[in-house]
Structures are given as C-alpha cells and as structure tokens.
Amino acid sequence: MRNRHIDLCTLALIGGALLCGQASAQTQPFTLCAGWPTTFKLTSLTLDPNPPSVKQAFVEAWTFQNSTAITTGARIKEVWKLGSSPLQSFTVDLCDELSKSGLACPLPAGARAMTKVTYPSANTPPFVTVSIRRELYNGDGSKLACYNMNVKFKP
C-alpha cells in the first residue's frame, strides 16, 4: 500500500499559500524604560523576518512621533543581553538611520516612518530570547526615549 501521508506544508503549497517555514514581517512588542521621556514616541515596530535569523540581518520598520526636532549627532545606544550576560553593545547614528528612509536631520517634530537594518552578533544563539535595550539621545545629548524588546532568534 502506498504512503498517502501529505504533510501540512505540502497542502499549504498546493493550496497556493506559502505558510510553511516562512517567516514574515510581524509586529514586535516593546516596552518603555522607566524614568525616560518619550520625546521620540515609538508607535509601532515591525521585524522582517520575524522571528529573525542569527545568520542574517533583519529589517525593522518603525513608526514614531517626535515632539521635538531630532538634531545632527543624535544616536541610538544598543545593548543586547542573554539573561544578565552581554552579547553586544554598540552605538549608531540616528540621523544616518533616518537618512536611509529619506529623512534628514534636523528633523522637525511630527509623525514619521523609517526602516533600520539590524545585524545580529556572531555570538547570538538561536532558540533563546535576547533582550535588546535601545536608548535614543538627541544631538545635544538629551534623552529622547528608551525601549526594551525581547527577540527570539531562529538558526
């Protein structure tokens, strides 16, 4: 007797859907850091793919409302941790990230959208949740906002 087993991925493919093994852009939950202003109010955050892979860059889509101008020299300080152990820490130029989305500093107050490409550290392990803290500072060093998110990476 022939094996008549057809897995769900095959059925999905036959049905025209690309559901099996495919990650797609999805909203990423985040929390505000206690005691920080929300001068740069992140209103949505999407990761593509989600979950991201430890082997490749992923794209973040941000929508935000800034209530003050973002000035030249603004930066994002990132700290990635596995539990209490640091995986990576770095700073990126917020104005450079904005320019990749067609925005320029000084950026007047208003509602905006941008994309950011993020590269996992070579020592980011798969199948565990990594906490990512982002502190945003304006060009004069003043605090804009701080966000935390937990991301589970796939291989």
Side-chain angles (χ1 to χ4, degrees):
M1 184 170 164
R2 288 178 50 166
N3 183 354
R4 293 187 178 261
H5 171 75
I6 298 177
D7 65 340
L8 293 176
C9 290
T10 304
L11 288 175
L13 188 58
I14 292 169
L18 297 174
L19 301 174
C20 298
Q22 295 288 328
S24 61
Q26 294 181 18
T27 300
Q28 174 66 38
F30 60 88
T31 58
L32 302 175
C33 303
W36 278 73
T38 54
T39 308
F40 182 105
K41 184 178 180 183
L42 191 61
T43 53
S44 73
L45 171 61
T46 302
L47 304 184
D48 188 14
N50 196 359
S53 169
V54 296
K55 297 177 184 175
Q56 68 184 36
F58 58 96
V59 176
E60 298 179 38
W62 297 10
T63 57
F64 63 92
Q65 173 78 39
N66 57 306
S67 59
T68 190
I70 298 172
T71 59
T72 302
R75 65 193 187 285
I76 305 169
K77 179 182 173 189
E78 294 198 22
V79 177
W80 293 34
K81 290 185 178 181
L82 178 58
S84 60
S85 301
L87 291 174
Q88 67 177 346
S89 176
F90 55 92
T91 300
V92 296
D93 187 307
L94 178 55
C95 293
D96 284 349
E97 295 299 325
L98 290 166
S99 72
K100 295 172 189 172
S101 297
L103 304 171
C105 288
L107 184 67
R112 307 279 192 283
M114 67 175 269
T115 57
K116 178 184 181 307
V117 177
T118 300
Y119 299 90
S121 168
N123 59 348
T124 302
F127 305 117
V128 296
T129 300
V130 174
S131 66
I132 301 173
R133 178 183 174 102
R134 294 221 170 99
E135 298 174 357
L136 285 74
Y137 297 90
N138 214 344
D140 63 1
S142 63
K143 294 178 177 179
L144 292 172
C146 177
Y147 302 98
N148 293 303
M149 65 178 176
N150 294 316
V151 179
K152 188 170 186 174
F153 288 85
K154 66 180 184 175

